[in-house]
Amino acid sequence: MTALVIAEHDNSTLKPGTANAVTAAARMGGEVHVLVAGQGCAAAAGEAARLAGVAKVLLADAAHYAGALPENLAALVTPLAKGYSHVVAAASAVGKSFMPRVAACLDVAQVSEIVAVESPDTFVRPIYAGNAFATVQSPDAIKVVTVRATGFDEAAATGAAPVEAVPAGPDVAKSRLLGQELTKSARPELVAARCVVSGGRALGSAENFKLLEALADKLGAAIGASRAAVDSGFVPNDYQVGQTGKIVAPELYIAVGISGAIQHLAGMKDSKVIVAINKDPEAPIFQVADYGLVGDLFQAVPELTAQL
């Protein structure tokens, strides 16, 4: 019994989620191998080799893997998967794009966004926007599993696994990467941040989000937002936290002017400590908050920032 974890990376460093997927794979039993597919990605393979619990790293280096296109990744992973009991990846945008294709090619059912491993064939996953958990058992010979990173700790960088080159798969040429628009920020990446300050529609404008930026700077925090704030154009889409945004579980989550719709709670309620600031004492966010402050955010946030 051996699990194959598909690493996500930018060809130089691993992306958040891969180390969590390694932890999940280790709990499925047997050895853990990691596949790093990219262009000029030897550094990322070296980083994967240092993850605790990894027995071997497979390196597929070719130009057509540079953009992590799902058709090319699936064409590489599918034949490799036949030598493994489990194929595992983080439930990120990349993982969600190619893993269902792998499952379809193998003619097996995918088990999506697991948060716990009960046994090699039994997993726990959230349903109903995280309000309930389903324990599911897979009878398939090869389990294709995506992992919600917030459900597992990151594997420590204490290993020293060998790196083995594997032949590249075909370039199926069904799609090509034309470009990427990446948000550049001096703040931590949202899904990897230890502290997140999120704002809702109550902030009223993009200009007012500067209140949160001052608070975030004091805490070294990432900035997040509710879907309502994103839809209102206050901040870019990649700030969105929630069921249709990013799933986060920082040590500290500060929700400012966020009512706490079920879709938003699904993306942040696993945070270690939740602080809510809202003028409505009946706001649902207070049901999950460890600390709640009922008050005007335009007064409370500057005062909190000044105290910090």
Side-chain angles (χ1 to χ4, degrees), residues 147-165:
V147 174
R148 181 170 285 191
T150 56
F152 300 90
D153 294 332
E154 292 185 358
T158 58
V163 178
E164 176 184 311

Side-chain angles (χ1 to χ4, degrees), residues 2-308:
T2 308
L4 178 65
V5 176
I6 316 303
E8 186 176 345
H9 56 89
D10 60 4
N11 291 308
S12 58
T13 59
L14 295 181
K15 293 279 191 176
T18 299
N20 308 78
V22 167
T23 298
R27 295 180 185 175
M28 297 173 193
E31 286 191 350
V32 176
H33 296 176
V34 176
L35 172 65
V36 178
Q39 182 181 25
C41 55
E47 188 177 343
R50 292 191 293 273
L51 294 177
V54 174
K56 181 167 61 175
V57 174
L58 307 179
L59 173 59
D61 198 319
H64 55 279
Y65 297 133
L69 298 174
E71 297 89 351
N72 287 337
L73 275 179
L76 171 67
V77 173
T78 300
L80 287 174
K82 295 176 181 178
Y84 292 90
S85 58
H86 299 77
V87 179
V88 183
S92 61
V94 172
K96 290 176 181 179
S97 68
F98 81 89
M99 286 290 274
R101 185 180 292 269
V102 171
C105 291
L106 293 172
D107 195 24
V108 300
Q110 177 176 300
V111 184
S112 302
E113 296 203 40
I114 68 165
V115 295
V117 178
E118 297 286 316
S119 70
D121 67 350
T122 306
F123 313 95
V124 178
R125 61 181 303 270
I127 58 174
Y128 301 126
N131 284 282
F133 291 89
T135 301
V136 296
Q137 186 174 40
S138 170
D140 294 315
I142 303 173
K143 279 72 173 171
V144 176
V145 182
T146 60
V147 174
R148 181 170 285 191
T150 56
F152 300 90
D153 294 332
E154 292 185 358
T158 58
V163 178
E164 176 184 311
V166 295
D171 181 358
V172 298
K174 289 186 176 180
S175 63
R176 58 196 177 98
L177 181 65
L178 298 180
Q180 290 179 310
E181 293 183 14
L182 304 176
T183 300
K184 295 182 179 180
S185 174
R187 294 192 179 89
E189 188 174 354
L190 185 55
V191 295
R194 295 177 63 226
C195 178
V196 174
V197 178
S198 281
R201 184 160 46 196
L203 280 156
S205 69
E207 183 71 18
N208 288 337
F209 255 80
K210 291 181 179 178
L211 289 173
L212 302 193
E213 293 174 2
L215 177 58
D217 288 342
K218 292 284 188 181
L219 295 167
I223 294 284
S226 67
R227 178 170 180 172
V230 171
D231 287 349
S232 298
F234 300 164
V235 289
N237 283 23
D238 56 348
Y239 281 45
Q240 184 180 328
V241 173
Q243 186 179 12
T244 55
K246 294 180 178 177
I247 308 296
V248 301
E251 294 179 16
L252 174 63
Y253 188 89
I254 302 178
V256 180
I258 294 175
S259 63
I262 186 173
Q263 292 85 354
H264 185 77
L265 299 183
M268 47 63 71
K269 67 181 182 180
D270 289 332
S271 303
K272 306 300 183 292
V273 176
I274 299 172
V275 176
I277 301 173
N278 199 295
K279 67 180 181 181
D280 179 7
E282 302 300 322
I285 191 72
F286 289 123
Q287 296 177 14
V288 299
D290 298 286
Y291 300 93
L293 175 61
V294 178
D296 183 353
L297 69 88
F298 295 103
Q299 178 183 351
V301 173
E303 288 180 357
L304 176 57
T305 304
Q307 289 295 325
L308 288 170

